[in-house]
Amino acid sequence: MVVSQRTRRAWSATTTIVLVLVSFVASGARAHGKGSFAIAVKKQARAVPGTGRRLLSKADAIPIHAYGDRLLNEYGAGHEFSLTITLAGGQEFDLIMDTGSPITYLPCLGCSPELCGYHEHQYYDWRMSTDFRVLNASTSAADAAFCDAMPVVHGVGEVSNVSGVCFFEIGYLDGSEGGGYMVEDVVTVGDELSPANMTFGCGGMKRADGSFMRQDGMAGFSRGNTAFHTQLAKAGVIDAHVFGFCSEGSGTDTAMLSLGRYNFGHDLAPLSYTRMLGDDYLAVRTMSWKLGESTIAGSSNVVTILDSGTTLVLLPSVMFQDFMTQLTAQVTANHSEVEVVVDEDTQERCFISETTVLTASVVREWFPKLTITYDPDIELTLPAENYLYSHPVIPHTYCVGIEESEDETILLGQQTLRNTFVEYDLENDRVGLVVAQCENLRKKFAPDTPHNRWRFVAIVFILMFTACVIGGVSLFLYVKFGSRKPFKYQVFDVDLLDAEIEMGDVTNT
């Protein structure tokens, strides 16, 4: 009897442990520090009508990747990050996430390969969608107003004998050109957000040399009514007209995009905010650049465009020349074995050493840090990898990821945005900045794994099975070794036992 009572207590304790573990898993709990748990800091999911049992959020953090130009994953050869969207029938498309472009477009069924090219995926088959429609400025006042307000070259024409179609054209700094016509359909992005009815372009983009990108199209994250984030906010899919971007350091091809006012808790230091300038671009004002302790000439009070779709950095001529002069002087003054070479084909300015192998750790030690100050007094101190990249072919050679521009503005590409979390707060016309370990943020808040509805069931099963095994082993050990009082055996007298058996037989008869 004593063993039976203790058995029930052991199984009761085991059941309690299982329930506690299951509760933490269901809440998205994860181990954090010694003897404590921290709940994943995604905003509390809420049910959305018409979505079945899936719980959806108003903010999400999404991992995004770079193919690199012509499959090279090097900053010097193209490092545009791709956002994956899903359209009707589960059709997926990889779009360049570009804060320098205001419009989203991808190739659709019916477009000729000469115009729309060959990409990672087949063209979008709009016949699988019951929501797809072509904007018509002739029959819809809303469509006409949307077309008129587009921040790119646009017009109204005819497609397949249908008049009133809204066309667009767009040109890029590198000579690439895009174009097509505007349509509307349901778009899904991320794993936590509900689908959104969005307007985007059916079209393609050609480089200046006539070639095509491996990515399927463009996701415009700049300003205007066509911008990707603007439409998500207008549709109420995200809780605020805010998005963030965090590009990881050298040697990786991953970044993180946050949509909505995402809460990273204590894992992200407080942001410092600067004013957003103008209405055309995502631009801020740079107050100065310092290389080591030396201020770069021409870096005071310069408009700076933040462009996630550009790999390198473009500086005004005066600023670029002084940057290269200061960098060469500071490095060679302490390390005379380092010399600068210029690639005749690409005009890349690269550093090599005759005696010492230039590894990433050596570069961090030998090359000065870059300090950028934004209006009013936001200082970001960045390591050398924010202006140098490893040569894609020649080992232990580092090249300057900055080029000279004829404009008087700074175009800040991914080279210098590495390991900087940038929050674009369109509601308050401001940009938040802070130096961050983007890889750590992405691994915790946007793990690179797809949504799996069976994950919860699998985890619960494993926990239950493990708890049962532990409980069974504990019970066995308890019974064998843990009883306070050992079993005592009573020796009965044989004559007495026989007498009791005989009396039992008489009673039964």
Side-chain angles (χ1 to χ4, degrees), residues 290-295 330 368-369:
K290 289 179 66 176
L291 201 56
E293 298 301 321
S294 302
T295 301
Q330 291 185 37
K369 292 184 178 180

Side-chain angles (χ1 to χ4, degrees), residues 25-69:
V25 173
S27 303
R30 58 184 75 188
H32 185 74
K34 295 182 179 180
S36 65
F37 280 86
I39 306 300
V41 195
K42 285 188 176 179
K43 296 207 172 189
Q44 182 64 39
R46 67 181 187 85
V48 175
T51 57
R53 292 186 177 182
R54 185 182 175 195
L55 296 180
L56 298 172
S57 177
K58 285 286 188 176
D60 196 10
I62 304 167
I64 54 180
H65 302 271
Y67 298 139
D69 191 12

Side-chain angles (χ1 to χ4, degrees), residues 319-347:
M319 190 175 171
F320 172 79
Q321 295 296 335
D322 193 53
F323 179 88
M324 288 304 305
T325 301
Q326 293 280 0
L327 177 60
T328 304
Q330 291 185 37
V331 174
T332 56
N334 298 316
H335 308 283
S336 57
E337 66 270 33
V338 176
E339 60 177 301
V340 182
V341 295
V342 179
D343 190 305
E344 294 181 359
D345 296 327
T346 63
Q347 294 302 306

Side-chain angles (χ1 to χ4, degrees), residues 336-379:
S336 57
E337 66 270 33
V338 176
E339 60 177 301
V340 182
V341 295
V342 179
D343 190 305
E344 294 181 359
D345 296 327
T346 63
Q347 294 302 306
E348 292 173 310
R349 294 167 171 82
C350 303
F351 290 89
I352 60 173
S353 174
E354 295 294 336
T355 58
T356 303
V357 175
L358 288 182
T359 63
S361 59
V362 171
V363 168
R364 281 194 296 269
E365 181 181 351
W366 286 12
F367 285 74
K369 292 184 178 180
L370 171 64
T371 300
I372 302 178
T373 302
Y374 296 100
D375 180 38
D377 56 357
I378 302 170
E379 282 193 359

Side-chain angles (χ1 to χ4, degrees), residues 84-145:
T84 300
I85 66 168
T86 305
L87 298 176
Q91 300 176 76
E92 291 188 343
F93 300 92
D94 295 338
L95 309 180
I96 296 173
M97 187 263 169
D98 187 6
T99 58
S101 175
I103 192 168
T104 298
Y105 56 94
L106 54 95
C108 299
L109 181 67
C111 184
S112 66
E114 290 76 15
L115 174 62
C116 291
Y118 299 91
H119 306 280
E120 182 70 10
H121 299 95
Q122 295 176 331
Y123 293 3
Y124 175 47
D125 190 350
W126 44 266
R127 297 173 301 180
M128 298 184 68
S129 173
T130 58
D131 300 292
F132 179 90
R133 74 178 187 89
V134 178
L135 264 63
N136 194 309
S138 298
T139 60
S140 169
D143 289 355

Side-chain angles (χ1 to χ4, degrees), residues 279-297:
D279 298 319
D280 298 328
Y281 300 101
L282 296 174
V284 295
R285 189 175 302 281
T286 293
M287 304 309 293
S288 69
W289 272 34
K290 289 179 66 176
L291 201 56
E293 298 301 321
S294 302
T295 301
I296 302 301

